[in-house]
């Protein structure tokens, strides 16, 4: 795969720079998401009474999954297939499952957060109606994101692609 980038006009130093930058930016994202998760879980009122904070738990969880795969970048790829690859097909499949999950889950959870704000601010939904809708704000993102991830694993469609397994 490194040869593909070099044939496309990339220098090896540019590929290495991309790998390093992805590790730095994803580390910051993981740290910020961990902070949000611990802040919500540490406060019972936020965890138990606030729909917003429970949605933020989902947003932060999906972000951690996505950022973790970005941080791992080429490491899970089969050894020798890319610069710094040390994995095998199984590790690449696991990373591919996680990225397939997160690439759908993250934007859908952001849609759930936007929907929450729409219902609260625009339509002034009362707490009872919001509690009834909350399950859908979690169920839809997880269901729609698990489907392609599971299909990808079951059909052996996952593998090295660019700087990540996908």
């Amino acid at each position: 795969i490194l040869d593909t980038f070099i044939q496309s006009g990339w220098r090896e130093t540019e590929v290495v720079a991309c790998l390093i930058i992805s590790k730095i930016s994803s580390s910051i994202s993981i740290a910020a998401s961990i902070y949000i998760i611990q802040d919500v879980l540490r406060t019972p009122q936020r965890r138990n009474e606030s729909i917003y904070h429970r949605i933020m738990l989902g947003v932060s969880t999906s972000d951690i999954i996505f950022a973790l795969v970005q941080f791992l970048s080429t490491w899970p790829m089969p050894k020798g297939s890319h610069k710094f690859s040390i994995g095998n097909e199984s590790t690449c499949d696991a990373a591919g499952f996680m990225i397939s999950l997160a690439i759908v889950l993250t934007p859908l959870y952001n849609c759930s957060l936007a929907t929450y704000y729409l219902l609260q601010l625009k339509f002034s939904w009362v707490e009872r109606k919001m509690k009834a809708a909350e399950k859908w704000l979690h169920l839809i993102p997880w269901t729609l994101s698990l489907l392609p991830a599971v299909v990808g694993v079951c059909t052996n469609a996952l593998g090295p692609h660019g700087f990540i397994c996908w």
Side-chain angles (χ1 to χ4, degrees):
I1 293 178
L2 179 59
D3 294 336
T4 305
F5 285 101
I6 291 172
Q7 289 171 359
S8 299
W10 290 54
R11 288 188 224 115
E12 187 171 348
T13 54
E14 293 172 328
V15 173
V16 171
C18 284
L19 295 173
I20 291 170
I21 290 169
S22 74
K23 290 184 187 330
I24 293 169
S25 62
S26 60
S27 296
I28 294 168
S29 181
I30 290 168
S33 292
I34 288 173
Y35 175 78
I36 291 169
I37 289 172
Q38 68 82 29
D39 188 53
V40 172
L41 293 179
R42 194 176 48 170
T43 311
Q45 182 182 9
R46 288 182 183 156
R47 182 181 62 236
N48 298 330
E49 298 173 15
S50 174
I51 295 169
Y52 164 77
H53 284 96
R54 288 192 294 270
I55 293 171
M56 286 304 297
L57 281 174
V59 171
S60 297
T61 301
S62 68
D63 183 60
I64 286 174
I65 296 168
F66 189 81
L68 180 62
V69 176
Q70 292 293 352
F71 179 81
L72 294 174
S73 64
T74 59
W75 290 345
M77 292 181 174
K79 192 172 188 170
S81 67
H82 204 297
K83 188 88 169 164
F84 307 120
S85 59
I86 58 172
N88 55 43
E89 285 187 36
S90 296
T91 58
C92 195
D93 286 346
F97 175 83
M98 288 177 18
I99 195 70
S100 296
L101 176 75
I103 209 160
V104 177
L105 186 62
T106 301
L108 286 178
Y109 252 117
N110 281 300
C111 288
S112 288
L113 185 60
T115 302
Y116 167 81
Y117 281 125
L118 176 73
L119 298 175
Q120 281 279 288
L121 301 175
K122 173 79 174 158
F123 298 115
S124 302
W125 276 28
V126 294
E127 188 69 19
R128 177 184 51 79
K129 285 176 85 175
M130 285 305 302
K131 284 189 186 258
E134 181 185 9
K135 67 179 171 223
W136 297 106
L137 298 176
H138 297 287
L139 188 63
I140 290 171
W142 280 103
T143 302
L144 293 179
S145 59
L146 276 170
L147 186 63
V150 169
V151 168
V153 169
C154 292
T155 60
N156 292 323
L158 306 173
H161 181 76
F163 295 118
I164 58 173
C165 290
W166 188 21

